[in-house]
Amino acid sequence: MNPQLALLLSATSFAIAGAVLALSTYVVLCTGLLSFATVSFAAVGAFTATWLLTNTDSGLVVALLAGTAAAGVLGLAVGRLFLKLSSQWLALATVAIILITQGFVVKMNRL
């Protein structure tokens, strides 16, 4: 593949992923709440799919479905825990979720 075409494809993929994350944050902001947890959900889904692709014989579709399921399960668990929070407490709690997710990913990379 032409290196310039590969760079363009990579930049386009990165822009689309960023647009999806921005839209998911915007949808939450439309409800009047400030939540940063969408980044953690995307990270868990991507990490799960990547881990399955590199460490098992599963195909791309299976890995994407498993990543989506993992992100959904985390989203349901966090949503259930933070249901009563509002305003700055929700923002603070979701920043804590980001830090916890980052800690797990860093520890998993060392294994």
Side-chain angles (χ1 to χ4, degrees):
M1 179 184 286
N2 185 352
Q4 292 158 338
L5 182 62
L7 180 63
L8 179 64
L9 184 61
S10 175
T12 304
S13 300
F14 187 74
I16 290 172
V20 168
L21 285 173
L23 183 63
S24 66
T25 302
Y26 179 73
V27 167
V28 174
L29 283 173
C30 285
T31 65
L33 300 172
L34 179 59
S35 172
F36 302 109
T38 53
V39 176
S40 287
F41 305 147
V44 166
F47 188 80
T48 302
T50 304
W51 186 87
L52 283 173
L53 283 173
T54 57
N55 295 331
T56 64
D57 295 355
S58 62
L60 179 63
V61 174
V62 173
L64 289 176
L65 289 175
T68 303
V73 167
L74 179 65
L76 286 173
V78 168
R80 184 84 171 153
L81 286 173
F82 295 169
L83 194 59
K84 302 288 182 182
L85 297 178
S86 63
S87 177
Q88 70 271 18
W89 299 111
L90 178 65
L92 184 65
T94 56
V95 168
I97 289 296
I98 290 172
L99 294 173
I100 291 168
T101 304
Q102 180 186 14
F104 276 128
V105 169
V106 168
K107 294 240 188 255
M108 288 293 289
N109 274 341
R110 291 183 186 162
L111 296 178

